[in-house]
Amino acid sequence: MRQHRTMAGLLGALLLLAAGLSSTGATTAAAASRAPRPLGRIVPAPASVAPGGSPYTITSTTAIRVDAATGAEGRRIAGYLADVLRPSTGYALPVRADGSGGIRLRLSGDARLGEEGYRLESGRSAITVTAHRPAGLFHAVQTLRQLLPASVERRTRQPGPWQVAGGTITDTPRYAYRGAMLDVSRHFFTPAQVERYIDQLALYKVNRLHLHLSDDQGWRIAIDSWPRLATYGGRTQVGGGKGGYYTKADYRRIVRYAASRYLEVVPEIDTPGHTNAALASYASLNCDGVAPPLYTGTDVGFSSLCVPKEVTYAFLDDVVRELSALTPGRYIHIGGDEAHSTPHTDYVAFMDKAQAVVAKYGKTVMGWHQLTGARPVAGAVAQYWGTAGDEAEVVAAAKAGTRLVMSPANRAYLDMKYDATTKLGLDWAGLVDVDRSYAWDPSTFIKGLPSGSVLGVEAPLWSETLTTSADVEYMAFPRLPGIAEIGWSPASTHSWPDYRSRLAEQGPRLAALGVNFYRSPVVPWE
Ligand code: TNX
């Protein structure tokens, strides 16, 4: 694989050299921009690339072909691909069940491609995409997009040609869990804003969307048995704006949209701390029976559910029951971070009960890694957000079977400022420019982890300072693609010099998509 890559690089350099010798600078640049992008110059880096043979050219007569055996899901993915390609190419790109040539999507019995892997073969007469499951076809479509010129992402007709270099990509993910989190509590984001983010995540093969649905500043999901959580607890946000919440229909719409892009929603109700919005909504949840006012600041660690009170668990049962019924995904995230106002013995007792409630409704427990200081149940997943990588409790829990999702705050937190001049964001975990954000390995960041304990990675985006989609995008891009690559690509492909030049090529694509990204000086943008 490495060899193929190097050969491709060498070939490309030779071609450029030849072009440079035979023409003026201007025509060289034009020719270079029309030449197909070398196979493999995508993010995340594919597992295996074998360039060779003629390129495929999408033309006005190209069809997208899905055979009957590939089924309705394959046809839907073909429709999604056509929706991407039609406006910019101006071609009809009909989706057909039969015929030969064109762009073919097919499912095969080859289980080696796994739940999400695919093979993409490109040659003179066809592009053939093969996967074992529909998710693999969908990820292959993202690869295909990135192999085409960035202008393919525009929504108006653009000049071609639309070529894909010849050869074969065979690609499967390193980790099953590749997530992004959006904090919709500190500032509320509408379903349309969440969907916009989902589309951006899908381009980089992210497959989990963690929604931080409750915190001190706002409760964002309608719960029928405790209606004031949303109607009162969702009424404000950081800075005192009007906040908001998702109706059950809104939430279902987000879940459906995410599923259509092969992302599983992981809902989080943060407990026992980070609960002021709930405590403000129901006086009975407070140990002293007095509801505090709504909170619009940014302090943490001052609120706690009342651990000794029975009503706390009736509340938890109702919330988890309703949320589980709305959520087809396997996880319920119960938070557990920064419970500074909950005595440790209470914290442990509370987490025992909360985990049992999640199990009762058939879901898998996720919690921030402070859960490892309590008694994680069998099968629980702890989300690591530390910075040192020396937390003994986390290692001990991993040795006992707790699996980890890695979100080290000084690498993967998308809300950290890039540098001292970044206007948005926080800096408690340091300044994290694009190179630093890419400089880590999930399997070794924490010293002494048993192999196989890391389930994957997640890039959380906390929203204390973010109010618009432009803000979200500015912090997520371009760091999110790097975390996505760390989650997808084999460790052997990890290379900052190679990554930064592939990332630079994403600049025109992000621009064509209208994504507001930070033009970090550490990336040689095109
Ligand atoms: C820590 S990370 C928090 C959040 C803040 C975030 C800001 C974690 C589990 N808790 O409450 O929003 O830092 O970066």
Side-chain angles (χ1 to χ4, degrees):
M1 289 158 227
R2 297 248 46 155
Q3 215 174 358
H4 287 316
R5 250 167 219 299
T6 324
M7 272 173 54
L10 208 72
L11 251 168
L14 281 171
L15 283 174
L16 278 178
L17 200 73
L21 288 172
S22 66
S23 53
T24 68
T27 46
T28 305
S33 73
R34 268 189 267 111
R37 127 191 339 255
L39 215 57
R41 302 280 312 159
I42 61 169
V43 177
S48 160
V49 182
S54 308
Y56 179 76
T57 306
I58 300 176
T59 69
S60 60
T61 62
T62 299
I64 302 175
R65 301 191 196 280
V66 187
D67 59 27
T70 295
E73 199 53 14
R75 283 193 296 281
R76 199 188 59 73
I77 295 166
Y80 169 95
L81 173 61
D83 288 345
V84 172
L85 302 180
R86 281 176 188 146
S88 50
T89 62
Y91 303 149
L93 300 170
V95 176
R96 298 244 163 86
D98 53 359
S100 61
I103 303 172
R104 299 173 58 207
L105 307 183
R106 57 190 194 105
L107 291 178
S108 92
D110 187 353
R112 280 173 307 179
L113 293 171
E115 292 299 308
E116 297 190 284
Y118 65 91
R119 185 165 58 245
L120 185 150
E121 296 159 280
S122 169
R124 187 179 303 284
S125 63
I127 289 177
T128 303
V129 171
T130 309
H132 186 52
R133 299 276 186 225
L137 294 179
F138 185 79
H139 295 322
V141 163
Q142 307 309 324
T143 292
L144 180 54
R145 283 171 79 174
Q146 290 193 22
L147 292 173
L148 288 163
S151 57
V152 80
E153 307 295 350
R154 296 201 182 275
R155 301 290 80 190
T156 56
R157 195 165 174 168
Q158 306 293 315
W162 305 103
Q163 290 199 312
V164 175
T168 300
I169 293 178
T170 310
D171 203 10
T172 52
R174 179 179 182 188
Y175 291 114
Y177 188 117
R178 303 177 309 279
M181 188 206 82
L182 186 61
D183 172 6
V184 297
S185 176
R186 271 53 175 273
H187 282 99
F188 181 64
F189 295 92
T190 63
Q193 289 177 302
V194 176
E195 289 176 2
R196 181 177 165 89
Y197 196 43
I198 289 170
D199 276 331
Q200 295 162 357
L201 299 173
L203 179 56
Y204 298 102
K205 302 185 173 80
V206 169
N207 69 353
R208 302 283 186 270
L209 175 69
H210 169 182
L211 289 174
H212 186 74
L213 290 170
S214 72
D215 211 302
D216 292 319
Q217 297 87 347
W219 184 284
R220 306 300 180 203
I221 177 74
I223 300 294
D224 296 337
S225 49
W226 296 73
R228 273 175 62 82
L229 290 170
T231 59
Y232 181 75
R235 199 177 274 184
T236 192
Q237 58 188 0
V238 167
K242 73 177 175 35
Y245 65 88
Y246 304 128
T247 64
K248 288 191 167 180
D250 289 336
Y251 180 83
R252 284 199 192 92
R253 169 182 153 185
I254 293 170
V255 165
R256 255 198 318 273
Y257 194 85
S260 77
R261 271 80 178 137
Y262 293 90
L263 280 90
E264 174 179 327
V265 171
V266 179
E268 178 186 354
I269 297 299
D270 204 346
T271 62
H274 290 278
T275 42
N276 188 77
L279 298 168
S281 304
Y282 287 96
S284 63
L285 292 175
N286 296 270
C287 282
D288 63 3
V290 179
L294 292 169
Y295 181 70
T296 62
T298 59
D299 289 345
V300 298
F302 61 87
S303 57
S304 179
L305 290 171
C306 185
V307 173
K309 262 190 168 176
E310 274 312 309
V311 66
T312 297
Y313 307 97
F315 157 82
L316 207 60
D317 193 285
D318 288 334
V319 169
V320 173
R321 174 171 42 77
E322 292 193 32
L323 197 55
S324 297
L326 286 172
T327 304
R330 68 206 94 174
Y331 302 109
I332 298 285
H333 199 307
I334 53 173
D337 58 312
E338 298 173 322
H340 306 319
S341 305
T342 317
H344 183 68
T345 47
D346 277 8
Y347 179 81
V348 174
F350 177 86
M351 282 310 205
D352 283 348
K353 291 191 173 177
Q355 293 181 96
V357 172
V358 172
K360 175 178 171 192
Y361 293 105
K363 299 296 187 185
T364 297
V365 171
M366 252 184 105
W368 296 104
H369 77 259
Q370 281 68 27
L371 174 63
T372 63
R375 291 185 282 249
V377 295
V381 175
Q383 183 171 4
Y384 177 78
W385 61 283
T387 58
D390 62 358
E391 293 81 354
E393 286 172 347
V394 176
V395 176
K399 286 186 172 152
T402 297
R403 290 163 306 159
L404 301 176
V405 166
M406 297 297 296
S407 305
N410 50 1
R411 299 291 190 282
Y413 266 32
L414 301 176
D415 63 316
M416 290 300 118
K417 291 176 184 292
Y418 293 99
D419 67 22
T421 70
T422 311
K423 294 205 172 62
L424 301 169
L426 306 174
D427 62 5
W428 67 263
L431 301 170
V432 184
D433 210 328
V434 181
D435 47 353
R436 182 165 170 79
S437 161
Y438 183 75
W440 62 290
D441 182 330
S443 70
T444 57
F445 190 89
I446 301 176
K447 279 129 238 113
L449 283 186
S451 74
S453 51
V454 174
L455 188 60
V457 302
E458 187 178 292
L461 184 46
W462 300 98
S463 65
E464 286 93 333
T465 65
L466 315 178
T467 59
T468 64
S469 283
D471 292 349
V472 165
E473 290 161 22
Y474 187 81
M475 299 310 279
F477 294 93
R479 288 179 291 198
L480 182 280
I483 306 302
E485 170 151 320
I486 287 170
W488 177 281
S489 306
S492 61
T493 65
H494 192 93
S495 155
W496 170 246
D498 182 63
Y499 176 67
R500 70 200 278 264
S501 77
R502 280 182 292 109
L503 180 60
E505 293 168 13
Q506 296 292 312
R509 188 168 307 272
L510 292 171
L513 285 164
V515 175
N516 178 39
F517 67 100
Y518 168 59
R519 286 172 175 74
S520 166
V522 304
V523 178
W525 299 108
E526 288 191 336

